[in-house]
Every structure is written in structure tokens, then in C-alpha cells.
């Protein structure tokens, strides 16, 4: 199915703009280094194009708005275009831009954590296939991030699963598994666990201790996200986190008009042989 997608004339123009801007931002040869990532870490077409536009749009907006810490993110991505830090940095850029569009003033690479959103701190972590694929490994990763951010007052740990977990835990089960961590580290408000999924329908499932989303992404893939928080957490402590997950499919179309692409992503991609 994906092979049927082609760039429109505007899509080709935006691809050229994005490539030139990112080369200028990161330095000569950056695109070649990024494309040298292992094949397992590179999405298929058209996700490769959407990934390019997503990074370009998020960085352009963060630069235009003068978001604090953009120079640190630039240095990290420039040095590590072919490593795990690439996924980490692109996630930082996307979440910060989403938060900015939602009316929050983000700070990238604060002294502690990866993104500060008003009084919330996001600490990001990837979970790769190397090592035992168990929930215990996930809990240990959360514990480590909680320890690293112990001097903060309100922290969310955001974990992107890259194939390490054979199946995702339900919200209520994950929350119970995390209770020992929540008790030990009162500053930890909750955990976001996210992965790409073959599911094809958007769903929202609410629990007493969190929420589960499946969302169809702009690049034809789907993301499943589980959000689990500590008991009796007030809504204002997690509503922004929920927004970032629930509205991921829509943010790019809201961002592109700010970069003189008024038609959003639909104006950049079309079907070679549209279904009748």
C-alpha cells in the first residue's frame, strides 16, 4: 500500500527545503549520516518522507520561537545522527513543538531532564531489543530515570519501545507494577510507554490510573501509547501529557502552515493510483 504514495509538486519543493535547511542546521553531510542508520531503524516509504518533514518542521518552529536549549539539541543531533540519540533528539523536538503549539513554553535540555514544560519535567528513554525483553527491565529503566531526576518536583518518564517488549502491559497492570517506584520516588508523577503497532483503528481506553491510546499517524503507521500515573493524581498534572499523546496525528498539519505550507501534509503526498 505504501508504495502507492508519491510526492506532489509541493511535496518535492518542501523535501528540497527541508533537506537544505537541515544540512545548514547540522552541517554538510548530515543527511548522509542520518541515512546510514541501520535498516531496522529506518521506516519504509512514505514514513521516511514524513520523518524528514517532521524533524524539519519541529526544528524550524523551535528556532523561530527562540526556544531555550535548541543549540544543545542541535549539537546532540549533529554528533549522533546514526545512533540511538537520533531517535531521542527527534522525539525531543517533536514533543517540544507539540507543547509549544498547545500554548506551553518548553525548555530543551534543562539542567535536569530532557524537556521542561512549565512545572513538569519530561525525561525520555528508548527501550531497545538488546537485553531481556521483560516488564522488569522497563521498571528498572523507570527507577533509573526517577533517581536521576530526584531533585525535581514533578517528573514524567517517557519511554519509546523499539521492539524490546513482546507485548504491552495494560494501564492498570503497569500502574500496579510501578507502585513501588511511585512510593520510593514521590516526585515521579507517571510513565508514558509508546510503541508503533500494526493496529489499524484509533482507540481510547480510560482507566482509574491512566489511559491507553492507539492513533493513526500521518505516515500511515499507528502508535499505541499507555499512560500510567500515581494514585489520586489531579487532572491538571496529566492533561498536557494526555494532549501530547492524543493529538499526535494532528500537530504536523497545524505546524506546516506556519512554514508557508498551507495545505499541510495532504498537499505534499498523493496516491499514484487512488482507490475508486
Amino acid at each position: 500500500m505504501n508504495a502507492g504514495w508519491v510526492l506532489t509538486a509541493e511535496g518535492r519543493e518542501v523535501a528540497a527545503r527541508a533537506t537544505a535547511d537541515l544540512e545548514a542546521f547540522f552541517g554538510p553531510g548530515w543527511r548522509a549520516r542520518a541515512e546510514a542508520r541501520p535498516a531496522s531503524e529506518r521506516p519504509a516509504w512514505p514514513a521516511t518522507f514524513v520523518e524528514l518533514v517532521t524533524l524539519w518542521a519541529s526544528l524550524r518552529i523551535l528556532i523561530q520561537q527562540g526556544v531555550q536549549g535548541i543549540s544543545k539539541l542541535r549539537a546532540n543531533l549533529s554528533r549522533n545522527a546514526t545512533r540511538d540519540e537520533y531517535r531521542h533528539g527527534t522525539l525531543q523536538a517533536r514533543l517540544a513543538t507539540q507543547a509549544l503549539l498547545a500554548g506551553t513554553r518548553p525548555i530543551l535540555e534543562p539542567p535536569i531532564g530532557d524537556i521542561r514544560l512549565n512545572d513538569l519535567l519530561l525525561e525520555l528513554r528508548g527501550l531497545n531489543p538488546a537485553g531481556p525483553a521483560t516488564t522488569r527491565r522497563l521498571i528498572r529503566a523507570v527507577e533509573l530515570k526517577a533517581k536521576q531526576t530526584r531533585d525535581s518536583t514533578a517528573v514524567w518518564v517517557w519511554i519509546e519501545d523499539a521492539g524490546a517488549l513482546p507485548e504491552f502491559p495494560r494501564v492498570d497492570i503497569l500502574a500496579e507494577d510501578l507502585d513501588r517506584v511511585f512510593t520510593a520516588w514521590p516526585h515521579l508523577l507517571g510513565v508514558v510507554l509508546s510503541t508503533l503497532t500494526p493496529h489499524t483503528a484509533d482507540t481510547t481506553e480510560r482507566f482509574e490510573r491512566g489511559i491507553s491510546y492507539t492513533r493513526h499517524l500521518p505516515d500511515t503507521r499507528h502508535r499505541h501509547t499507555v499512560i500510567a500515573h500515581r494514585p489520586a493524581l489531579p487532572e491538571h498534572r496529566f492533561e498536557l501529557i494526555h494532549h501530547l499523546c492524543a493529538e499526535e496525528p494532528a500537530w504536523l498539519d497545524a505546524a506546516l502552515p506556519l512554514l508557508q505550507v498551507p495545505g499541510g501534509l495532504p498537499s505534499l503526498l498523493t496516491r499514484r493510483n487512488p482507490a475508486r
Side-chain angles (χ1 to χ4, degrees):
M1 180 180 68
N2 291 353
W5 290 95
V6 296
L7 296 182
T8 64
E10 188 169 10
R12 292 191 293 273
E13 179 183 342
V14 167
R17 286 176 60 193
T19 300
D21 279 355
L22 290 173
E23 285 281 348
F25 187 68
F26 293 121
W30 177 84
R31 181 70 188 275
R33 297 195 302 275
E35 290 178 346
R37 284 179 294 157
S40 60
E41 295 183 11
R42 298 196 304 271
W45 177 263
T48 49
F49 172 73
V50 178
E51 183 184 79
L52 173 72
V53 173
T54 295
L55 181 59
W56 169 70
S58 57
L59 290 175
R60 289 301 305 174
I61 289 173
L62 294 173
I63 292 167
Q64 287 178 2
Q65 296 297 315
V67 170
Q68 184 177 335
I70 187 66
S71 60
K72 293 182 181 178
L73 177 60
R74 172 182 183 173
N76 290 343
L77 273 171
S78 181
R79 284 195 305 267
N80 300 301
T82 64
R83 301 172 59 190
D84 291 343
E85 285 87 345
Y86 177 84
R87 186 169 62 244
H88 184 276
T90 55
L91 176 61
Q92 274 183 283
R94 192 254 293 174
L95 292 177
T97 305
Q98 279 190 258
L100 188 64
L101 294 174
T104 300
R105 189 69 183 176
I107 297 175
L108 292 161
E109 296 289 342
I112 299 176
D114 293 305
I115 312 173
R116 180 165 292 282
L117 306 173
N118 294 342
D119 63 337
L120 298 180
L121 187 71
L122 287 189
E123 179 73 0
L124 311 180
R125 165 73 188 267
L127 204 60
N128 294 317
T134 65
T135 302
R136 183 176 299 178
R137 182 177 168 212
L138 168 64
I139 302 303
R140 286 202 301 267
V142 175
E143 286 182 306
L144 176 61
K145 291 300 183 183
K147 182 177 181 179
Q148 291 173 344
T149 58
R150 60 184 177 272
D151 292 331
S152 300
T153 57
V155 172
W156 281 83
V157 174
W158 191 297
I159 294 181
E160 292 277 309
D161 175 44
L165 298 175
E167 61 181 66
F168 250 36
R170 283 167 49 97
V171 171
D172 48 355
I173 295 175
L174 179 60
E176 290 179 4
D177 288 340
L178 287 167
D179 275 342
R180 177 175 58 83
V181 188
F182 288 136
T183 299
W185 303 102
H187 70 291
L188 179 64
L189 301 187
V191 172
V192 179
L193 179 59
S194 173
T195 192
L196 295 174
T197 173
H199 294 175
T200 57
D202 283 11
T203 62
T204 300
E205 190 175 6
R206 299 180 182 276
F207 297 80
E208 181 181 356
R209 295 277 300 279
I211 195 164
S212 173
Y213 294 109
T214 302
R215 290 293 186 267
H216 186 185
L217 301 181
D219 58 21
T220 76
R221 296 179 296 177
H222 292 75
R223 190 185 305 283
H224 181 53
T225 305
V226 168
I227 304 172
H229 57 69
R230 65 171 46 255
L233 187 69
E235 183 175 354
H236 75 276
R237 305 302 268 170
F238 59 75
E239 59 186 353
L240 177 58
I241 301 299
H242 283 201
H243 175 84
L244 295 177
C245 297
E247 300 302 317
E248 182 183 356
W251 82 270
L252 188 56
D253 281 341
L256 286 173
L258 303 177
L259 302 172
Q260 292 74 54
V261 186
L265 194 62
S267 69
L268 309 181
L269 283 166
T270 189
R271 290 278 195 181
R272 179 181 288 110
N273 296 305
R276 298 185 182 277

